[in-house]
């Protein structure tokens, strides 16, 4: 392997603390995987492994594959000497070694994200009912205001968001409900959060459950307090690598520092300029920055990147320079580090793209609808002319992703949505739910038809057959072998309908089985394989857990609960599918939010809706965490709650929270910009659904550096 500057120093690593700031496209996964293979080949203590800790399951798959490739090149087995884990799977592995020490039964149950959200939403609704006056008194819109009901609905959702964020934040501080209560100094958002937190923990304890926050906190305390366990784990993992270190939270850093403190071998790789998770998690980019500055840490930047053309690199670097020198908000001048991307050497085996004709531009459209139409047409035309190229439209919100999807589908352009819950990952869950719903109420034609349609999608286009199935008694349909009418028999789909009805009849005879076994029986009948089978098995496990906790439930109640658990099951589906990783398919318009675009790349990228509303850059810009129906001093409830928890001045905390969000949005724009290899088009609109729109201040700065180079042309 030919090493670039910085990569050579990483490859020569022998031990100690090392920080590796890596620009987009620097090949951090490749060099870290190569280093792991080299350490393994050099000889590891018997039974020990290199531990790689990363964020996403897709990254686990990527690291596992690359380390295996490098090991094969050294004539070593692919799976030898290494372990790649997400943070939570690592914490779970640690806890399982000492469940007694954290007072858990061996069969403890972990509440996943979707189930946790349902729990908190329910607790928040109950809290609002009991504390309605307290809850409404903070609004500045009275009951007589025409938008009062709308404000209440929004405020209910935002209260749930406040509760979820603060539960994580309080647990991250290691506080029990009683300890958190001791910090309540006066009535306010923090007091609300503590009351909700107390009830949430009570329900978890009653059901013998823990959540992912508990998992991390318990693991952290175990390795800090149990020195024998810590020594044993350190011997198992004499080298620890952390990927995406800019997204570390305080507990994650504590855990890894405790594990590595025994042998002192920790390599942390990240990019502070891509720290964009603070809005959704308790991550803190300052942690990695501070680690980089420690005197006992070797700092080895990876600045050369082969991903993008030199013009796109210049665009990204201009954003960094402008933000550090000219950003109108002084606090935002430190949002981006001065890690400027460098193109690779001409002799590099993976040179920077040098497209003959390309687009590098900033464009404004009169309205959002015009922007959606024009960009969709441009992208669809590009994939038609260049079917070998990869293309993505990067939008700030899922709602806008949906708007582009609708437009492109109307144009019959090939589309792939990279969403939280992609449609193809829902199929197994939707199929099983529809069939189970019928088996729970087998006399209901309204349940029969959706079940048949899941098994025979062509039925959706045959209204005559659907109408017949909706009116004839189910018993006659399932158990009468004769064709009911000559007219119906003429339909080509009828033989397939009868086969489907026969299948459902067979499953109906198996409906006496326990619900979890019934799910597995359906999975076998549907011949599910790989990820689809894993989803069905997870559903069966969840059903069994619910049946154990509620032995009186019958199939109709189980189906009702499964319907409520859909998001939890989809989260599990994502886990199973992400293990295989995402590969951009050429000739398709990929649709993705800026947050989900991190770590991905395409030949041509459209970054859309770059308005001051979506990418605020001034203190006067409206941001999504501010609500017009809250008083000015309470516009950011989470910031207020954290300020109250820490005993800080509320006004100062609100200002600081807004500055932090401006910084994160600036980094989000940097991430979106650096996804492009050859073509980059930045767009915004002057009028949207909420009136007049203005370009993000950063985009206007970038526009000054944009031009189509000599010899280039728009695609």
């Amino acid at each position: 392997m030919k090493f670039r500057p910085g990569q050579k120093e990483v490859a020569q690593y022998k031990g100690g603390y090392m920080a590796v700031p890596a620009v987009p496209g620097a090949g951090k996964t490749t060099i870290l995987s190569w280093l792991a293979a080299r350490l393994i080949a050099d000889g590891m203590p018997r039974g020990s492994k290199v531990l790689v800790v990363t964020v996403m399951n897709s990254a686990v798959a990527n690291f596992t594959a690359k380390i295996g490739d490098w090991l094969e090149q050294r004539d070593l087995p692919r799976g030898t000497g290494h372990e790649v884990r997400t943070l939570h799977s690592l914490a779970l592995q640690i806890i399982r070694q000492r469940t007694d020490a954290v007072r858990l039964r061996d069969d403890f149950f972990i509440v996943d994200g979707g189930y946790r959200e349902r729990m908190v939403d329910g607790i928040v609704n109950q809290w609002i009912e009991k504390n309605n006056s307290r809850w409404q008194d903070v609004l500045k819109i009275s009951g007589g205001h025409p938008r009062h009901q709308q404000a209440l609905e929004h405020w209910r959702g935002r209260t749930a968001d406040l509760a979820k964020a603060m539960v994580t934040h309080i647990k991250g501080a290691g506080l029990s409900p009683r300890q958190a209560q001791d910090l309540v100094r006066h009535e306010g958002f923090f007091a609300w959060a503590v009351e909700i937190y107390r009830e949430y923990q009570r329900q978890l304890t009653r059901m013998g459950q823990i959540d992912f926050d508990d998992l991390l906190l318990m693991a952290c305390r175990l390795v800090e307090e149990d020195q024998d366990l810590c020594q044993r784990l350190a011997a198992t993992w004499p080298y620890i690598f952390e990927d995406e270190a800019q997204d570390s939270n305080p507990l994650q850093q504590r855990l890894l520092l405790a594990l590595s403190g025994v042998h002192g071998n920790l390599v942390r790789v990240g990019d502070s300029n891509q720290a964009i998770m603070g809005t959704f998690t308790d991550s803190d980019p300052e942690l990695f920055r501070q680690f980089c500055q420690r005197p006992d840490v070797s700092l080895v930047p990876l600045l050369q990147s082969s991903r993008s053309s030199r013009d796109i690199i210049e665009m990204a670097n201009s954003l960094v320079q402008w933000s550090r020198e000219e950003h109108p908000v002084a606090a935002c001048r430190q949002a981006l580090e001065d890690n400027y991307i460098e193109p690779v050497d001409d002799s590099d085996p993976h040179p920077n793209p040098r497209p003959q004709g390309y687009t590098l531009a900033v464009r404004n459209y009169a309205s959002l609808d015009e922007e959606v139409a024009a960009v969709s047409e441009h992208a669809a035309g590009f994939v038609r002319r260049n079917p070998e190229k990869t293309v993505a439209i990067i939008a700030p919100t899922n709602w806008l992703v949906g708007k582009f999807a609708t437009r492109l589908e109307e144009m019959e352009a090939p589309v792939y949505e990279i969403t939280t819950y992609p449609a193809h990952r829902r199929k197994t869950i939707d199929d099983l739910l529809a069939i189970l719903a019928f088996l729970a109420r087998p006399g209901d034609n309204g349940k029969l038809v959706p079940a048949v349609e899941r098994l025979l999608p062509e039925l959706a286009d045959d209204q005559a057959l659907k109408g017949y199935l909706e009116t004839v008694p189910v018993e006659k349909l399932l158990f009468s072998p004769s064709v009911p009418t000559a007219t119906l028999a003429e339909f080509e789909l009828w033989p397939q309908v009868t086969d489907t009805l026969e299948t459902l009849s067979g499953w109906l005879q198996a409906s006496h089985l326990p619900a979890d076994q019934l799910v597995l029986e359906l999975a076998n009948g549907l011949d599910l394989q790989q990820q689809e089978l894993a989803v069905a098995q997870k559903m069966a496990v969840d059903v069994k857990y619910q049946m154990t906790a509620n032995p009186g439930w019958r199939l109709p109640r189980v189906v009702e609960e499964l319907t409520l658990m859909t998001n939890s099951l989809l989260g599990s589906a994502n886990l199973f599918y992400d293990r295989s990783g995402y590969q951009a398919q050429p000739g398709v318009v990929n649709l993705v939010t800026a947050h989900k675009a991190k770590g991905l790349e395409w030949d041509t990228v459209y970054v859309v809706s770059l308005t001051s509303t979506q990418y605020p850059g001034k203190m006067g810009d409206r941001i999504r965490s501010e609500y017009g129906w809250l008083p000015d001093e309470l516009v950011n409830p989470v910031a207020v709650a954290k300020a109250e928890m820490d005993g800080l001045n509320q006004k100062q905390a609100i200002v600081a929270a807004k500055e932090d969000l401006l910084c994160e949005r600036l980094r989000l724009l940097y991430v979106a910009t650096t996804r492009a290899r050859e073509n980059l088009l930045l767009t915004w609109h002057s009028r949207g659904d909420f009136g007049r729109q203005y370009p993000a201040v950063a985009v206007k700065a970038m526009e000054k550096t944009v031009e189509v180079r000599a010899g280039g042309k728009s695609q």
Side-chain angles (χ1 to χ4, degrees):
M1 177 176 175
K2 181 179 179 180
F3 298 114
R4 300 169 185 166
Q7 288 185 336
K8 182 177 181 181
E9 289 77 4
V10 174
Q12 294 174 340
Y13 171 83
K14 300 292 185 182
Y17 290 124
M18 176 182 284
V20 185
V23 300
K28 64 181 180 65
T29 303
T30 298
I31 189 59
L32 212 58
S33 301
W34 188 96
L35 173 59
R38 196 220 80 200
L39 289 170
I40 295 165
D42 287 350
M44 302 273 288
R46 185 177 180 84
S48 66
K49 299 178 180 180
V50 174
L51 173 65
V52 181
V53 181
T54 188
V55 178
M56 305 296 294
N57 284 288
S58 55
V60 171
N62 196 15
F63 268 108
T64 301
K66 288 199 171 187
I67 294 173
D69 291 343
W70 290 121
L71 287 171
E72 274 192 348
Q73 290 190 20
R74 296 172 179 269
D75 295 324
L76 293 171
R78 293 185 65 87
T80 191
H82 65 281
E83 196 168 347
V84 187
R85 290 196 168 273
T86 62
L87 178 64
H88 290 120
S89 70
L90 171 64
L92 178 60
Q93 182 179 2
I94 293 170
I95 287 175
R96 289 206 181 279
Q97 300 197 30
R98 286 297 312 275
T99 52
D100 60 312
V102 292
R103 299 180 181 179
L104 290 175
R105 299 186 337 186
D106 290 339
D107 60 346
F108 68 89
F109 185 81
I110 302 172
V111 173
D112 65 24
Y115 195 88
R116 177 182 185 266
E117 285 194 7
R118 282 179 51 212
M119 282 185 65
V120 175
D121 287 343
I123 293 168
V124 166
N125 287 335
Q126 293 172 3
W127 183 91
I128 289 173
E129 288 181 13
K130 295 178 181 178
N131 301 274
N132 201 266
S133 295
R134 292 169 67 193
W135 180 66
Q136 290 198 40
D137 283 349
V138 300
L139 298 178
K140 65 182 183 182
I141 295 180
S142 65
H145 194 282
R147 295 182 60 192
H148 182 251
Q149 192 58 42
Q150 181 184 4
L152 287 181
E153 289 304 312
H154 281 103
W155 184 217
R156 184 181 296 272
R158 300 293 77 79
T159 304
D161 292 341
L162 164 68
K164 293 163 191 171
M166 289 306 297
V167 165
T168 292
H169 189 69
I170 294 169
K171 288 191 179 186
L175 299 176
S176 67
R178 179 174 296 180
Q179 291 169 324
Q181 183 63 49
D182 290 341
L183 296 179
V184 176
R185 299 169 179 86
H186 52 78
E187 165 66 11
F189 292 149
F190 179 61
W192 298 9
V194 170
E195 293 169 24
I196 294 167
Y197 172 49
R198 183 170 59 242
E199 175 60 19
Y200 173 69
Q201 284 301 105
R202 188 191 69 78
Q203 291 190 20
L204 282 181
T205 302
R206 178 175 58 82
M207 295 183 292
Q209 300 172 336
I210 63 173
D211 63 15
F212 287 128
D213 295 325
D214 294 321
L215 198 67
L216 190 52
L217 179 59
M218 289 176 177
C220 192
R221 285 177 171 168
L222 268 180
V223 298
E224 289 177 339
E225 297 171 4
D226 188 333
Q227 291 304 306
D228 289 340
L229 174 62
C230 190
Q231 292 279 349
R232 190 164 67 250
L233 292 172
T236 303
W237 302 312
Y239 296 97
I240 300 176
F241 299 166
E242 180 190 11
D243 183 37
E244 304 290 1
Q246 77 279 350
D247 292 328
S248 280
N249 60 39
L251 285 179
Q252 177 175 342
Q253 178 167 278
R254 276 176 57 189
L255 177 61
L256 297 182
L257 288 176
L259 286 173
S260 64
V262 177
H263 47 65
N265 300 325
L266 175 63
V267 179
R268 305 183 71 187
V269 182
D271 182 4
S272 295
N273 290 353
Q274 297 188 73
I276 58 173
M277 302 305 294
T279 302
F280 308 101
T281 69
D282 216 30
S283 65
D284 183 356
E286 284 302 313
L287 297 175
F288 182 56
R289 288 179 173 177
Q290 292 167 4
F291 182 79
C292 292
Q293 295 167 2
R294 282 174 43 167
D296 60 337
V297 172
S298 299
L299 185 65
V300 184
L302 300 181
L303 301 180
Q304 286 197 358
S305 171
S306 62
R307 171 184 295 168
S308 305
S309 69
R310 290 173 180 263
D311 294 326
I312 293 174
I313 287 175
E314 182 180 338
M315 167 85 86
N317 287 341
S318 73
L319 177 61
V320 175
Q321 182 177 6
W322 169 82
S323 71
R324 295 185 63 81
E325 297 177 0
E326 302 179 45
H327 199 289
V329 179
C332 294
R333 292 174 190 164
Q334 303 302 315
L336 295 172
E337 299 274 354
D338 58 351
N339 292 330
Y340 294 100
I341 306 172
E342 300 173 4
V344 299
D345 187 80
D346 289 340
S347 62
D348 194 281
H350 302 285
N352 296 93
R354 293 186 175 182
Q356 293 300 310
Y358 59 90
T359 296
L360 186 67
V362 178
R363 292 181 183 167
N364 166 233
Y365 296 95
S367 67
L368 173 59
D369 287 342
E370 183 181 323
E371 180 183 17
V372 170
V375 172
S376 297
E377 184 176 351
H378 197 286
F382 183 88
V383 296
R384 283 196 301 270
R385 296 190 302 273
N386 304 276
E388 78 286 359
K389 296 293 186 179
T390 58
V391 177
I393 297 175
I394 300 178
T397 64
N398 283 309
W399 173 81
L400 194 52
V401 165
K403 198 171 180 68
F404 273 97
T406 299
R407 180 68 180 185
L408 286 162
E409 286 166 0
E410 290 172 352
M411 299 168 59
E412 298 185 351
V415 176
Y416 181 83
E417 290 186 60
I418 308 172
T419 63
T420 302
Y421 304 128
H424 70 281
R425 299 186 183 185
R426 295 186 59 107
K427 184 179 185 306
T428 301
I429 299 169
D430 291 342
D431 287 352
L432 290 171
L433 281 176
I435 296 167
L436 287 168
F438 164 68
L439 297 180
R441 302 187 185 280
D444 187 344
N445 292 74
K447 302 297 183 184
L448 171 69
V449 174
V452 174
E453 203 166 348
R454 296 305 305 183
L455 297 171
L456 188 62
E458 297 89 340
L459 181 64
D461 298 324
D462 197 325
Q463 295 303 314
L465 273 179
K466 282 184 66 174
Y468 180 79
L469 296 177
E470 288 169 352
T471 56
V472 175
V474 174
E475 183 177 358
K476 183 176 181 180
L477 289 170
L478 293 181
F479 303 110
S480 175
S482 61
V483 178
T485 67
T487 303
L488 194 60
E490 294 175 358
F491 286 91
E492 294 182 2
L493 205 57
W494 179 247
Q496 298 175 58
V497 170
T498 57
D499 289 344
T500 302
L501 292 171
E502 183 178 348
T503 299
L504 288 173
S505 176
W507 283 333
L508 188 59
Q509 296 177 42
S511 60
H512 66 280
L513 294 171
D516 59 313
Q517 294 181 31
L518 180 59
V519 170
L520 296 177
E521 180 72 16
L522 296 180
N524 181 62
L526 292 169
D527 194 25
L528 301 183
Q529 302 292 326
Q530 298 181 341
Q531 294 99 331
E532 293 177 336
L533 180 59
V535 171
Q537 291 170 338
K538 177 62 167 62
M539 181 184 287
V541 169
D542 288 350
V543 167
K544 186 173 183 179
Y545 176 82
Q546 294 293 345
M547 293 293 291
T548 301
N550 305 277
W553 282 9
R554 296 294 178 262
L555 189 55
R557 182 66 181 84
V558 172
V559 172
E560 181 181 337
E561 183 66 18
L562 280 174
T563 303
L564 295 173
M565 292 169 58
T566 298
N567 281 355
S568 296
L569 292 168
L570 285 168
S572 299
N574 281 348
L575 187 152
F576 302 136
Y577 280 92
D578 285 345
R579 286 173 179 168
S580 60
Y582 163 80
Q583 294 293 330
Q585 296 298 312
V588 174
V589 181
N590 292 268
L591 298 175
V592 63
T593 63
H595 280 97
K596 287 193 173 297
K598 185 170 176 288
L600 307 178
E601 59 186 75
W602 298 271
D603 295 316
T604 294
V605 169
Y606 304 83
V607 186
V608 300
S609 196
L610 293 171
T611 65
S612 60
T613 301
Q614 299 292 354
Y615 293 88
K618 300 177 181 178
M619 294 300 286
D621 289 342
R622 297 288 295 170
I623 58 178
R624 286 186 297 168
S625 60
E626 295 181 351
Y627 315 111
W629 23 267
L630 283 175
D632 291 343
E633 68 274 14
L634 300 177
V635 292
N636 192 323
V638 174
V640 173
K642 289 180 178 179
E644 291 169 345
M645 176 175 168
D646 297 335
L648 300 178
N649 177 282
Q650 288 185 359
K651 185 175 181 180
Q652 291 176 336
I654 292 168
V655 171
K658 185 158 189 176
E659 290 172 344
D660 287 345
L661 185 56
L662 297 186
C663 290
E664 188 168 298
R665 283 278 143 173
L666 183 61
R667 292 191 290 265
L668 190 63
L669 176 57
Y670 177 82
V671 166
T673 300
T674 54
R675 301 308 94 195
R677 288 196 285 255
E678 299 178 357
N679 301 299
L680 177 63
L681 181 63
L682 310 179
T683 70
W684 61 281
H685 53 272
S686 299
R687 183 165 294 279
D689 292 347
F690 299 100
R692 176 68 176 167
Q693 298 290 308
Y694 301 92
V697 63
V699 173
K700 295 304 291 182
M702 294 171 74
E703 190 172 19
K704 297 177 182 178
T705 68
V706 175
E707 62 177 344
V708 177
R709 302 301 180 188
K713 61 181 180 180
S714 296
Q715 299 298 303

